[in-house]
Amino acid sequence: MSRKKFSWLAVLMVAIFVLAACGNKKEEKSSSDKVEMVDYTAKNGTISIPKNPKRVVITADSFAGYALQLGIKPVGLSSFALSNKYFGNRIDGIVDVGGEESPEKIMSLNPDLIISFAQSENLDKLEKIAPTIAILPKEMTFKEEMTEFGKIFNKEEEAAQWIAEWDKKVAKYKPQVQKVVGDQTVSLLGVYGKNAYVYGDNFSRGGEIIYGEFDLAMPKIVREETSKGKGYASFSVEKLPEFAGDYIFAESGDEKFSKTKQTGLWKTLPAVKNNRVFEIDETDAYFSDPVSLDQQLEEIVDVFTK
């Protein structure tokens, strides 16, 4: 064999070896990049989701805090979720996907998991982008929801730990609060001109803590009306004396409420006379996720014990 032929043969063999090696590396990389999937049963059926999702988009506003508390930083959140003051710098860098749940904007984030409300009109479109969990608000208690999100994000131990720490804090503060309030009643109100609302123990506004954890009493009519399935009730503002407790937590930020506070009816309420009315920001009132609740707990304890 001539030297020239031997040289070309050597080059060919080297090239084949390199290509084979590259092919093996590509195959190894493909194998290592394979995402492990698990089945999860949601409102839209049993779906296959990543066991450890990396790029999560949450359009179900009230559930964003569960992800954040479990160490999952979504790549996209709704505008309303991003308005939550309790999230602080935890949401730095998260993309605002708007308030209309735009499939185009969500697709641009290349999510591997989407969490949306079950009643979303865009559910079919979202399901074509990535595995989508459809969820309903207020169907479970916040502890049950925390446990559920522990399953979704493969963070069950972390979820259980948060619940255990929460229970310790409640056990510490509950006797202090009950000593102050005793058998007096507490109302959570939203007053808007001629219309007013009262909220129960699982409709945010601090109800989960005030009624659910501290076992403080509602006025009888509030208990009756909010236990009819909705978790809240509406009534005419003329009936405020019936629905107003010895302590009132009222949503602020509404111009009509500001006018109501100037009326004689409002000023006759015992809670007003005794300086036991505490205003809560209208936007913040909607959040009852673990991040928000942790801070609301401190605020509520301060209200009753300061």
Side-chain angles (χ1 to χ4, degrees):
M1 183 181 294
S2 69
R3 183 176 295 177
K4 185 175 181 181
K5 288 183 178 179
F6 178 81
S7 177
W8 276 108
L9 182 60
V11 170
L12 181 61
M13 290 178 68
V14 170
I16 292 172
F17 177 78
V18 170
L19 288 172
C22 288
N24 287 339
K25 286 183 179 179
K26 185 175 182 181
E27 185 176 340
E28 289 172 6
K29 182 179 179 182
S30 176
S31 176
S32 65
D33 284 350
K34 187 176 180 180
V35 177
E36 185 177 355
M37 306 294 282
V38 295
D39 286 341
Y40 180 79
T41 301
K43 286 299 175 183
N44 50 334
T46 300
I47 56 177
S48 184
I49 66 173
K51 185 176 181 180
N52 297 291
K54 305 296 184 186
R55 298 185 61 80
V56 182
V57 170
I58 301 178
T59 61
D61 310 302
S62 52
F63 294 104
Y66 290 91
L68 294 171
Q69 184 62 48
L70 289 171
I72 303 294
K73 188 170 185 176
V75 294
L77 286 177
S78 67
S79 300
F80 188 68
L82 290 171
S83 73
N84 186 347
K85 74 172 184 182
Y86 297 116
F87 289 166
N89 59 13
R90 295 184 191 223
I91 55 177
D92 289 351
I94 296 178
V95 175
D96 185 343
V97 297
E100 301 299 323
E101 205 175 41
S102 165
E104 293 77 18
K105 186 172 288 187
I106 293 170
M107 183 184 291
S108 71
L109 295 175
N110 191 30
D112 58 5
L113 180 66
I114 301 170
I115 299 175
S116 173
F117 284 129
Q119 58 268 43
S120 167
E121 296 179 355
N122 292 309
L123 195 56
D124 290 343
K125 295 178 181 178
L126 298 179
E127 289 174 330
K128 293 176 182 177
I129 298 173
T132 300
I133 292 175
I135 193 167
L136 281 173
K138 306 304 176 186
E139 201 173 43
M140 296 182 280
T141 67
F142 67 90
K143 292 180 187 177
E144 291 169 338
E145 287 173 344
M146 186 58 160
T147 300
E148 204 62 26
F149 274 88
K151 297 175 185 176
I152 292 172
F153 295 127
N154 193 26
K155 299 273 189 178
E156 293 181 76
E157 288 185 11
E158 291 88 339
Q161 182 180 355
W162 182 87
I163 292 171
E165 291 174 353
W166 170 267
D167 287 341
K168 286 180 183 178
K169 285 187 283 189
V170 170
K172 172 186 174 183
Y173 292 128
K174 185 174 180 177
Q176 300 175 31
V177 172
Q178 288 190 332
K179 183 178 179 180
V180 172
V181 180
D183 59 1
Q184 297 178 96
T185 59
V186 183
S187 293
L188 311 179
L189 300 174
V191 184
Y192 307 99
K194 295 181 179 180
N195 301 311
Y197 295 85
V198 66
Y199 306 98
D201 61 359
N202 193 30
F203 212 83
S204 56
R205 280 88 176 170
E208 289 85 352
I209 299 171
I210 292 169
Y211 303 129
E213 299 295 339
F214 290 160
D215 291 325
L216 301 182
M218 306 176 190
K220 183 180 178 182
I221 190 171
V222 173
R223 184 173 64 254
E224 292 172 351
E225 293 298 318
T226 59
S227 63
K228 293 180 178 179
K230 291 182 180 180
Y232 71 94
S234 59
F235 60 94
S236 171
V237 74
E238 286 82 9
K239 293 184 177 181
L240 262 175
E242 298 177 45
F243 286 85
D246 299 305
Y247 290 84
I248 293 175
F249 285 75
E251 292 181 3
S252 63
D254 184 88
E255 185 180 343
K256 292 179 180 178
F257 176 54
S258 297
K259 292 180 179 179
T260 300
K261 289 190 293 183
Q262 305 305 316
T263 64
L265 178 64
W266 179 261
K267 293 177 181 179
T268 62
L269 300 177
V272 176
K273 290 181 177 180
N274 295 322
N275 196 30
R276 291 177 175 173
V277 176
F278 310 98
E279 296 187 17
I280 52 178
D281 184 89
E282 187 179 358
T283 300
D284 299 330
Y286 291 102
F287 295 100
S288 53
D289 58 83
V291 174
S292 304
L293 287 171
D294 266 330
Q295 296 172 70
Q296 289 172 2
L297 178 67
E298 303 289 341
E299 293 174 356
I300 290 169
V301 169
D302 187 53
V303 161
F304 287 120
T305 61
K306 66 181 179 180

